[in-house]
Amino acid sequence: MSEIRVRFAPSPTGPLHIGGVRTALYNYLFAKKNGGKFIVRIEDTDQARYVKGAEEYILESLRWLGLSPDEGPEQGGPYLPYRQSERKGLYEKYAMQLVSEGKAYYAFDTPEEIEEMRVRLEDSGVVKPQYNSITRHKMKNSLTLSEEETNALIAQNAPYVIRLKVPSKEEIRFEDQIRGWVVVHSSTIDDKVLLKSDGMPTYHMANVVDDHIMQITHVIRGEEWLPSAPLHILLYKFLGWESEMPTFAHLPLILKPTGKGKLSKRDSDKHGFPIFPLAWDDPESEDKMMGFREEDYLPEALLNFLAFLGWNPGTEKELFTLDELIEAFGLERITKGGARFDIEKANWYNEQYLRKKPDNFLVERLLSASEKEGFECSKGKGENIVRLMKDRVSFPKDLLYQARYFFEAPEEYDEKLVKKKWDHTAIGVFMDYAKQLKKLDEISAAEAKSTLEKVLVVHEAGLGQVMLALRLAITGGGTGPDVVEIISVLGGQETAQRIEKAIEVLPVKGG
Ligand code: GLU
């Protein structure tokens, strides 16, 4: 069998939606699984929709995720160039071939003339008027004009497009790897424009020509392209490439968290979760979009999460490295139905991968985050915080945000806890405890505990009576790692100061 070659073919019309990232991932997995090639091709022939910076964004997203193309605009490869705008002449050649074989034709209609046709047909009861095998006979094209007239118009530089001459009665069928047999009647397809008046190809033309020339064996793409597939099949046939047609696989939609409707930017705005790999400030609409990278998701967690949005390995196993995904992946286990986007699941994956990271990685992240906030943090302190917090956070940034008390005394205290736990017993114990702590700036967790126990004996109180109040005084809240561990990170002096401050500012239970 020939080498498997798949392509990810984004259009640089904006940032890459998470569905696009999943398409790239599935293509990558399929290529690697089969010892094939993963190709990136930039489909930028629609100049009107071109957005500055979008191509860089797409390539940077792939880089961040570690989905390295084997061929592409940055890597090069045997089918250069990998940007369609730079391949313009090629499409024209094939469009002309179709015209000379009577499979496509020149159309000179102005937008106004097409609009007139639409209105005329709508008035006579046609629901969705199209430029097609019936209406083309009434329009201004090389089928209705004589050869001389056509040539004269071309010689006068009259603007024209090239349209595909779609047969009026033909059944188009193909077997989609995910959806099974798809059968469409050609009468439902309009005479699509292949070459625009600016000489640029349309998506359909460029896509089919390039897939053929680049020897693509499998077209794996989103379900939104399924309606275009019959037209593509027709093009392969007309161009004489039917026997080398790629296999098609159309991926299920990614659905809103409710499971109803397609996931969109509005869901991201509404729920405050990212649906784009990287943050993006749109240069035109000035929209701001959140990015998984900026929200501190680990790329390996995002990949694992995305792999499961529309595919499953058929086992209970959920955690897969990229290599394991390659090993397990196959088109046959891709689901037909839409896949519900669940950010909680993405967060769960992130936690799992965070726990597996070497401590050093998190220490580095903590040190740079604390420096940005103007907090001093030695490497040793960073290591201690990571040791205590690693299993409690979902994101590296939480190390600082959820455990700010390692860096500054609390300004606010959990009111409910104050009411419940801040009593005379606790205060009596803490006054003595603070005195002891002052003498011990460097203090181990064990020492912090035994010192407290000694004070408790004197006050005839138990650990359970004061522990929450102690945590409250030191951190302002009621959760976190072992209090004596926190004391050991803060040191005796700092802890004593915090306790004294709490005694000063907190109202005592029972007056
Ligand atoms: N350029 C199309 C897109 O933006 C590619 C569709 C395909 O893969 O055929 O998604």
Side-chain angles (χ1 to χ4, degrees), residues 44 147 206 327:
D44 58 349
E147 203 177 326
E327 184 60 34

Side-chain angles (χ1 to χ4, degrees), residues 145-163:
L145 300 170
S146 69
E147 203 177 326
E148 292 74 47
E149 286 170 320
T150 302
N151 290 340
L153 280 173
I154 294 173
Q156 289 160 22
N157 282 333
Y160 64 81
V161 299
I162 292 182
R163 288 184 180 270

Side-chain angles (χ1 to χ4, degrees), residues 7 9-11 43 203 207 221 225:
R7 85 307 190 267
S11 296
E43 301 208 323
Y203 153 71
N207 189 268
R221 62 185 172 192
W225 301 104

